[in-house]
RNA sequence: GGCCCCAUCGUCUAGUGGCCUAGGACACCAGCCUCUCACGUUGGCGACACGGGUUCGACUCCCGUUGGGGCUACCA
């Protein structure tokens, strides 16, 4: 690993960027950063019919949100067509590949027959030694696979994985429409981009012997391989839409912090003793292949939530404020005009009062309503229960005390409340709840002294008076 | 079906032949704290898939079984 490390993340833009892909990207990125190497983003868009620009946009946006920044790319395979054709030409010239005139329909037919007989469907090599091409047919190009002996994949995680070459067949490297196929371009790309380590999902392991043969055919040195185990859903099936949100951006949009996401994902398949919490810098320093696990991991939303709440709890209010702003807008707490104008400093003021009681930024956004709302709405049940005539004298007393109080910090406020509860022989709860409802409209809020202090004398007095008017 | 990978609490994992009466974290349950909701805190529940070897000694090594996952396309 003293050579310059070059790794890549190579998603296909055929849907949203999902959790599993992000974990792969993260491991590649950490590996590159740890070894001071390069992390390259490459879009595998050889399947024209399924690739979309929207998907590419989402991949880039998702990685950006998480701070998984590429050093090179995004490269797009559709832009590297000439390179692939050159390589195909070379194989053809060297007799290592050949034109295949079989139609997809014929192939499909043969596959069905093989399956029906309980055999493994393999290409029968019909066109392999054809002297005269059948007229009027388009052709695809197949690679001449070596079918004797075996191919060994040397995997950094799993050791030597041996495949019997009789399991393989001549794979198509150029479709009849002139576009190259995945197993071929991935080899050409990784070779020509000087990728040193291919770290990717387990689902690619079984295709790797084909790729190894291609490396040999092309006279390229294969990279080191490392196949990560999959991330599964709660039913142990491969993670998919059925398991709920799997798009990385949906986590951003539902109030998760990128640091929490990274911290969660890295622990799916990697560990460092008993440690659970890692900063990015720490991960870069500590990440190593030796501590990657071999077994598949089940995605556990509860633990992600816990990590998110941890990061909210311990986060810097100013930083949290910038993440909170879009949710303030989305939740309708602040109108668009105001949301863009208000400073992070202003937003950050309320945040400490909510850090301990918010598991997501959405929860936090909702919790700020008392602070940002011009006029508060009473929750009907709360008002009926707590805004009752017997509380009016207390409110009046509080208004009086607040108005003559010079300090409005939580300590001074607590003294005012203690004074009242002692004189009246009441428990704090007896007056805190009605005050809470008068000030926030709800029975749930940050600590009452925090609420009062944050709101400031003027608004507190105003809302208490409004409460009195409501009662009377 | 064939081939390949994997196997410690419900979940993520520590464990690299004696340190294990198997540790931590999430979740769950109970107590404490308390102005609401939370936070916090204390305790509890809870696993080496099974069967054979190897060894003085296996969670750790080997084989098999079972279970799960992946691949088996002119998808990636």
């Amino acid at each position: 690993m003293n050579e310059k490390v070059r790794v890549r993340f190579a998603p296909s833009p055929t849907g949203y960027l999902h959790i599993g892909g992000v974990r792969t990207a993260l491991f590649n990125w950490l590996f590159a950063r740890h070894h001071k190497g390069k992390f390259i983003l490459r879009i595998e868009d050889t399947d024209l019919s399924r690739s979309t620009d929207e998907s590419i946009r989402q991949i880039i946006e998702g990685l950006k949100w998480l701070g998984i920044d590429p050093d090179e790319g995004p490269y797009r395979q559709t832009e590297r067509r000439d390179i692939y054709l050159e390589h195909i030409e070379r194989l053809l010239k060297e007799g290592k590949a050949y034109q295949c005139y079989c139609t997809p329909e014929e192939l499909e037919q043969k596959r069905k027959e093989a399956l029906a007989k309980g055999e493994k469907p393999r290409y029968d090599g019909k066109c392999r030694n054809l002297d005269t091409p059948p007229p009027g047919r388009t052709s695809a190009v197949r690679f001449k696979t070596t079918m004797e002996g075996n191919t060994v994949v040397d995997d950094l995680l799993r050791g030597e994985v041996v495949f019997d070459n009789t399991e393989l067949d001549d794979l198509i490297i150029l479709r009849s429409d002139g576009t190259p196929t995945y197993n071929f371009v991935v080899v050409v790309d990784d070779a020509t981009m000087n990728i040193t380590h291919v770290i990717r999902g387990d689902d690619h392991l079984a295709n790797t012997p084909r790729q190894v043969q291609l490396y040999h055919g092309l006279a390229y040195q294969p990279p080191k391989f490392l196949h990560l185990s999959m991330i599964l859903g709660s039913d142990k099936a491969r993670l998919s839409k059925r398991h709920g949100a799997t798009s990385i951006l949906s986590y951003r949009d539902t109030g998760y912090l990128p640091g929490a996401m990274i911290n969660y994902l890295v622990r799916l398949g990697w560990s460092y003793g008993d440690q659970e919490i890692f900063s990015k810098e720490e991960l870069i320093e500590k990440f190593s292949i030796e501590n990657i696990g071999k077994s598949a991991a089940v995605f556990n939303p509860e633990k992600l939530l816990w990590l998110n709440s941890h990061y909210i709890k311990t986060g810097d209010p100013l930083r949290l404020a910038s993440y909170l702003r879009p949710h303030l807008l989305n939740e309708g707490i602040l109108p668009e005009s105001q949301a863009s104008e208000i400073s992070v400093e202003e937003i950050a003021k309320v945040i400490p009062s909510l850090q301990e009681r918010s598991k997501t930024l959405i929860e936090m956004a909702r919790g700020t309503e008392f602070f940002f709302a011009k006029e508060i709405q009473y929750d009907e049940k709360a008002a009926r229960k707590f805004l009752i005539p017997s509380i009016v004298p207390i409110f009046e007393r509080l208004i009086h005390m607040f108005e003559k109080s010079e300090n409005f910090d939580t300590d001074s406020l607590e003294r005012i409340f203690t004074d009242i509860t002692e004189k009246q022989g009441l428990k704090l709860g007896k007056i805190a709840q009605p005050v809470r409802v008068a000030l926030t409209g709800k029975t749930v809020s940050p600590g009452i002294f925090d609420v009062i202090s944050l709101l400031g004398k003027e608004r507190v007095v105003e809302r208490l008076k409004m409460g009195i008017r409501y009662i009377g």
Side-chain angles (χ1 to χ4, degrees):
Chain A
M1 248 148 284
N2 18 25
E3 315 296 310
K4 243 176 249 136
V5 163
R6 285 175 64 82
V7 293
R8 83 308 195 274
F9 174 53
S12 62
T14 52
Y16 45 74
L17 176 60
H18 61 92
I19 299 291
V22 171
R23 206 258 319 232
T24 302
L26 175 63
F27 278 32
N28 273 286
W29 182 83
L30 287 173
F31 185 72
R33 290 287 170 272
H34 178 82
H35 291 288
K36 305 205 176 352
K38 299 288 185 209
F39 172 69
I40 293 143
L41 176 60
R42 186 174 74 218
I43 307 294
E44 310 250 313
D45 57 351
T46 50
D47 183 353
L48 268 21
S49 59
R50 296 200 306 152
S51 299
T52 66
D53 286 344
E54 167 59 17
S55 182
I56 295 176
R57 218 207 79 241
Q58 280 196 32
I59 290 166
I60 292 169
E61 198 177 327
L63 293 180
K64 189 179 168 199
W65 174 59
L66 292 165
I68 300 177
D69 52 325
D71 300 299
E72 289 178 30
Y75 295 113
R76 290 185 59 167
Q77 296 182 321
T78 43
E79 289 160 357
R80 294 167 54 81
R81 197 179 144 73
D82 292 348
I83 299 172
Y84 308 132
L85 294 185
E86 257 170 50
H87 283 79
I88 286 179
E89 207 48 51
R90 218 172 86 200
L91 288 175
L92 244 19
K93 211 167 282 173
E94 292 170 5
K96 290 173 179 167
Y98 60 92
Q99 305 285 347
C100 174
Y101 299 88
C102 300
T103 64
E105 292 73 30
E106 287 168 358
L107 264 14
E108 182 56 31
Q109 180 65 26
K110 280 180 190 167
R111 181 169 33 248
K112 272 187 195 151
E113 283 168 18
L115 248 22
K117 275 190 279 184
E119 288 169 8
K120 183 184 170 68
R122 298 168 68 252
Y123 178 62
D124 60 6
K126 186 181 173 198
C127 302
R128 192 167 183 161
N129 299 306
L130 226 53
D131 303 320
T132 47
R137 286 242 204 164
T138 54
S139 66
V141 175
R142 282 187 192 267
F143 176 70
K144 275 191 195 166
T145 300
T146 303
M147 274 172 280
E148 299 84 45
N150 39 230
T151 300
V152 177
V153 174
D154 195 5
D155 190 281
L156 256 20
L157 234 202
R158 302 166 202 282
E160 291 192 346
V161 184
V162 181
F163 294 85
D164 196 323
N165 286 345
T166 55
E167 291 297 319
L168 275 24
D169 63 0
D170 289 348
L171 79 152
I172 289 187
I173 55 178
L174 188 72
R175 298 185 186 92
S176 50
D177 68 359
T179 59
T181 58
Y182 168 75
N183 279 301
F184 178 71
V185 296
V186 74
V187 167
V188 173
D189 282 340
D190 287 337
T192 56
M193 291 179 183
N194 298 312
I195 299 301
T196 56
H197 301 257
V198 169
I199 303 172
R200 75 218 314 188
D202 206 355
D203 47 341
H204 291 280
L205 181 55
N207 278 320
T208 309
R210 294 173 176 287
Q211 294 173 16
V212 169
Q213 286 215 15
L214 247 7
Y215 275 100
H216 294 148
L218 258 9
Y220 284 130
Q221 176 72 30
K224 303 263 184 222
F225 292 102
L226 193 160
H227 290 92
L228 262 14
S229 285
M230 309 264 82
I231 298 179
L232 310 177
S234 51
D235 55 359
K236 303 249 182 173
R238 192 185 189 150
L239 197 61
S240 74
K241 314 100 230 160
R242 290 187 297 105
H243 301 103
T246 52
S247 160
I248 193 67
L249 291 177
S250 75
Y251 285 93
R252 177 196 62 185
D253 299 341
T254 50
Y256 286 81
L257 257 9
M261 195 71 212
I262 293 224
N263 200 146
Y264 177 71
L265 253 19
V266 81
R267 288 283 290 100
L268 241 39
W270 180 83
S271 60
Y272 190 80
D274 282 341
Q275 191 171 340
E276 296 285 352
I277 307 293
F278 299 89
S279 70
K280 245 185 189 171
E281 295 67 34
E282 215 175 353
L283 285 176
I284 290 170
E285 182 205 323
K286 294 182 167 159
F287 188 80
S288 77
I289 282 174
E290 289 83 80
N291 294 322
I292 296 178
K294 291 200 270 196
S295 47
V298 173
F299 181 76
N300 182 209
E302 279 81 32
K303 188 151 185 185
L304 206 211
L305 226 209
W306 171 75
L307 273 161
N308 203 52
S309 68
H310 172 85
Y311 276 81
I312 285 178
K313 231 172 290 170
T314 55
D316 166 44
L318 232 43
R319 190 174 154 74
L320 290 171
S322 63
Y323 284 116
L324 185 64
R325 188 199 300 271
H327 293 102
L328 254 19
L329 185 89
N330 278 343
E331 293 301 304
I333 307 293
L334 286 176
E336 192 152 0
S337 55
Q338 221 180 325
S340 51
E341 271 173 36
I342 193 164
S343 69
V344 284
E345 285 78 8
E346 184 63 14
I347 296 173
K349 278 187 195 164
V350 239
I351 287 180
S353 74
L354 288 158
Q355 281 175 284
E356 303 258 284
R357 57 199 94 225
S358 313
K359 290 189 192 306
T360 69
L361 292 171
I362 288 190
E363 274 182 39
M364 184 179 265
R366 289 177 182 157
T368 65
E369 196 166 4
F370 77 91
F371 186 71
F372 289 117
K374 291 249 178 330
E375 250 173 62
I376 54 151
Q377 297 288 324
Y378 293 138
D379 171 80
E380 202 188 311
K381 254 178 84 180
R384 213 182 314 130
K385 182 167 178 192
F386 292 107
L387 298 183
I388 51 177
S390 60
I391 203 69
V392 172
I394 306 260
F395 276 13
E396 282 169 343
R397 177 85 190 135
L398 280 170
I399 291 168
H400 175 73
M401 302 281 274
F402 288 157
E403 279 180 332
K404 73 170 198 189
S405 170
E406 281 173 23
N407 298 316
F408 226 60
D409 57 281
T410 51
D411 285 348
S412 317
L413 292 167
E414 190 161 359
R415 274 196 293 278
I416 292 175
F417 273 75
T418 312
D419 185 59
I420 293 180
T421 50
E422 274 174 5
K423 279 185 182 149
Q424 311 272 329
L426 290 170
K427 298 254 285 179
L428 179 57
K430 283 288 174 202
I431 60 178
Q433 275 308 77
V435 171
R436 190 185 314 280
V437 174
L439 298 184
T440 71
K442 300 183 177 96
T443 53
V444 174
S445 85
I448 195 65
F449 307 125
D450 286 331
V451 170
I452 296 170
S453 172
L454 280 165
L455 251 19
K457 190 185 289 188
E458 197 176 317
R459 280 194 288 176
V460 168
V461 168
E462 184 186 307
R463 287 184 191 184
L464 284 176
K465 284 180 177 168
M466 191 180 103
I468 292 170
R469 277 199 301 279
Y470 171 88
I471 296 165

